[in-house]
Structure formats: C-alpha cells, structure tokens
Amino acid sequence: MILTVTLNTALDITYRVPGLRPHASHRVTEVTERPGGKGLNVARVLAALGHPVTVTGFAGGSTGATVRASLAGVPGVVDALVPVAGATRRTVAVVDERTGDTTQLNEPGPVVAPTEWNAFQEAYEGLLAGAAAVALCGSLPPGVPVGAYAGLVRTARAAGVPVLLDTSGEPLRRGVAARPDLIKPNADELAELTGSHEPLRATQAARRRGARSVVASLGAAGLLAETPEGRWRAAPPAQVRGNPTGAGDSAVAGLLSGLVEHLPWPDRLARAVALSAATVLSPVAGEFDRAAYEELLGRGVAVTAEADAA
C-alpha cells in the first residue's frame, strides 16, 4: 500500500469558458467536481496505475462530506481522512478554451485545532505500519504547525518507510532538514529553497540541505533529477497544450510507483514525465490520457545523463 497525506484537502471545481476576460461575465460551458488537494490527485493516478492507495489528511463540513463521497467511488483508494470541525476548502480552476490557459483560485482551508492535529498524528503513525512508501503533499491548513512536515518525515523515517515531500516555502525548508528520501519542487520552489535560479546547482544545493534525492519540475522542459545514483534530465518530445493543473501531482505518482516497483531512475523519470504530459491532455487534475501516456512512455520521453554543475 502507498500512503498519501493531504493535510489541506479540497473539492476541485473546474469551469471551462470560451474565453476568460477580466471584468466580464462568462458563460460556463462545462463544470466538473473532483476530490482535490495534491495528495488526493496523486492517489487517484496511483490507483489508475494499479497501486492500492490509502489517503489521509483532514476533511470537514459539507465540502468534506462531498470529497469523501467522491472518494468512495474511486477503485483502489481507501479513505482514512481524519474529521475536523471546519469546512474543507474549495479550489476553482477556470480554463480558457481559446488559449488553453488556466486561472486557479485556492481557498485557505479550515482552521485545525491542536486536538485534531494530535489525532491526525496518531492515525498517521498507525497507517505507516502497512505502507510501502508515503507522500506528504501540498499546503498546510491554518492551525497546523509550520514544521509539521519535518515531524512527519522523521516519523516515516523512524518507521523505515521511504518518504517523498512535495510542498513549498517554509514547510519545505524545514521538511528538507528532516532528510526526506525525495523532494519534488518546481523551479520557483527550488529557487526559493536554495537561493539559486540555475536548476542543476539548485538541485545539488537542495541535496546538501538534507534531501536524499531531488527531482525538480521545470514545466514544459520536463524534470531534472539529482540522486545518489546519478543525474538525469527527462523531457517530453514536444510541448503539450491543455490544462496543466495536477501535472506535477501525476509526476509524483510516477516517481512513487517507480520507487515501490524498484525501477531504475531513468525509468521512473520517463514514467513521471509521460504521466505529467498525459495529465495536461486530461480535462481535470488526478486523471490522465491513457493512450497518450502509453505512447509517450513507449517512445516519446528522452532521458539523458547530466554532468556536474560547473
């Protein structure tokens, strides 16, 4: 079983409009709702790949009830979310059908009480006993300590469970110091963590700060990996147009599935890039275009070894 942690779960709402214009009314051509938050997106992709997944984090209020009801219909996903008094947040993505661009609106999430945080930590420790790997994903809701991920990383390491951390800002900085097995920042998050805007130097600096391996997401340029086994770049054959929401989460699913399957790094990276690109072609986060994924995985992703930064 793979465990994904989404402390700030969400109900993802996607609107599609013919063209998005500021200060104007819009006719919505399509609306979709899905369980959201980075770890839930990761879980749905993992389940689609055939991996059993347990999801935990927080859920509350009527929005949380909607999220849990939707999760119940996802084969391969077990709901172990911890209830809170506050209401789960909503995220709204507005997709401009003319340009393919997406505008994202994210609510902050419910305030988590100390007793609720303690209940989560107890549940998390119990779930680690059956986990082959764990992913700690996304933002922290109000009330959760800024060092929360650092503590969760240490708990996973003490249990002997490989841990992937995918967050940003101060939670990432503190979490890296706890020595996770893998972090997956994007270029901006990596620069904020290390102070370097040169990706190769920045990934090396992130490893020195404590991460065993670093896989940086560089948007259309693909992934850059800095690991104890080597350095690689992985990129799709061409830029893919569509809805990029959730593409990074699909990359996390590819890396996690490759880890538990003991794939070599180039194969993990090829899978992560193929899933990410195939997610851009899907209308909503947490799903991917399977035909495009299989085509890219078969012959479309270039993985090349990388030399040291000068």
Side-chain angles (χ1 to χ4, degrees), residues 173 176-179 192-195 204-211:
R173 189 184 71 81
V176 165
R179 307 186 66 80
E192 182 182 7
L193 173 67
T194 65
Q204 292 172 340
R207 281 201 68 210
R208 289 193 294 270
R209 288 172 179 263

Coordinates of all heavy atoms in Angstrom, one line a residue, residues 173 176-179 192-195 204-211:
R173 N 11.4 24.1 3.6 CA 12.7 24.3 4.1 C 12.9 23.5 5.4 O 13.9 22.9 5.6 CB 12.9 25.8 4.4 CG 14.3 26.2 4.8 CD 14.4 27.6 5.2 NE 13.8 27.9 6.5 CZ 14.3 27.6 7.7 NH1 15.5 27.1 7.8 NH2 13.7 27.9 8.8
V176 N 12.9 19.6 4.5 CA 14.2 19.1 3.9 C 15.2 18.8 5.0 O 16.0 17.8 4.9 CB 14.7 20.1 2.9 CG1 16.2 19.8 2.5 CG2 13.9 20.1 1.6
A177 N 15.3 19.6 6.0 CA 16.2 19.4 7.1 C 16.0 18.1 7.8 O 16.9 17.6 8.5 CB 16.2 20.6 8.1
A178 N 14.8 17.5 7.7 CA 14.5 16.2 8.4 C 14.9 15.0 7.5 O 14.7 13.9 7.9 CB 13.0 16.1 8.7
R179 N 15.5 15.3 6.3 CA 16.1 14.3 5.5 C 15.1 13.4 4.8 O 15.2 12.1 5.0 CB 17.2 13.5 6.2 CG 18.2 14.4 6.8 CD 19.4 13.6 7.4 NE 20.1 13.0 6.4 CZ 21.1 13.5 5.7 NH1 21.4 14.8 5.8 NH2 21.8 12.9 4.7
E192 N 13.5 29.3 -4.3 CA 13.2 29.9 -3.0 C 13.9 29.1 -1.9 O 14.4 29.7 -0.9 CB 11.7 29.9 -2.8 CG 11.3 30.5 -1.4 CD 9.8 30.5 -1.2 OE1 9.1 29.8 -2.0 OE2 9.4 31.1 -0.2
L193 N 14.0 27.8 -2.0 CA 14.7 27.0 -1.0 C 16.2 27.2 -1.0 O 16.8 27.3 0.1 CB 14.4 25.5 -1.3 CG 15.1 24.5 -0.5 CD1 14.7 24.5 1.0 CD2 14.9 23.1 -1.0
T194 N 16.8 27.3 -2.2 CA 18.3 27.3 -2.2 C 18.9 28.7 -2.5 O 20.1 28.9 -2.3 CB 18.7 26.3 -3.3 OG1 18.3 26.8 -4.6 CG2 18.2 24.9 -3.1
G195 N 18.1 29.6 -3.0 CA 18.7 30.9 -3.5 C 19.3 30.9 -4.8 O 19.8 31.9 -5.3
Q204 N 21.5 20.4 -6.5 CA 22.7 19.9 -5.7 C 22.6 20.6 -4.4 O 22.9 19.9 -3.3 CB 24.0 20.2 -6.5 CG 24.1 19.4 -7.7 CD 25.3 19.8 -8.6 OE1 25.8 20.9 -8.4 NE2 25.8 18.9 -9.4
A205 N 22.3 21.9 -4.3 CA 22.2 22.6 -3.0 C 21.1 22.0 -2.2 O 21.2 21.9 -0.9 CB 22.0 24.1 -3.3
A206 N 20.0 21.6 -2.8 CA 18.9 21.0 -2.0 C 19.3 19.7 -1.4 O 18.9 19.4 -0.3 CB 17.6 20.8 -2.9
R207 N 20.1 18.9 -2.1 CA 20.6 17.7 -1.5 C 21.5 18.0 -0.3 O 21.5 17.3 0.7 CB 21.4 16.9 -2.6 CG 20.5 16.1 -3.5 CD 21.2 14.9 -4.2 NE 21.6 13.9 -3.2 CZ 22.6 13.1 -3.2 NH1 23.5 13.2 -4.2 NH2 22.8 12.2 -2.3
R208 N 22.3 19.0 -0.4 CA 23.2 19.3 0.7 C 22.4 19.8 1.9 O 22.9 19.6 3.0 CB 24.2 20.4 0.3 CG 25.3 19.9 -0.7 CD 26.4 21.0 -0.8 NE 25.9 22.2 -1.5 CZ 26.0 22.4 -2.8 NH1 26.4 21.5 -3.6 NH2 25.6 23.6 -3.2
R209 N 21.2 20.3 1.7 CA 20.4 20.7 2.8 C 19.7 19.6 3.5 O 19.1 19.7 4.5 CB 19.3 21.7 2.3 CG 19.9 23.1 2.0 CD 18.9 24.0 1.3 NE 19.4 25.3 1.0 CZ 19.3 26.4 1.8 NH1 18.7 26.3 2.9 NH2 19.9 27.5 1.4
G210 N 19.7 18.4 2.9 CA 19.2 17.2 3.6 C 18.4 16.2 2.7 O 18.2 15.0 3.2
A211 N 17.9 16.6 1.6 CA 17.1 15.7 0.8 C 18.0 14.6 0.2 O 19.1 14.9 -0.4 CB 16.4 16.4 -0.4

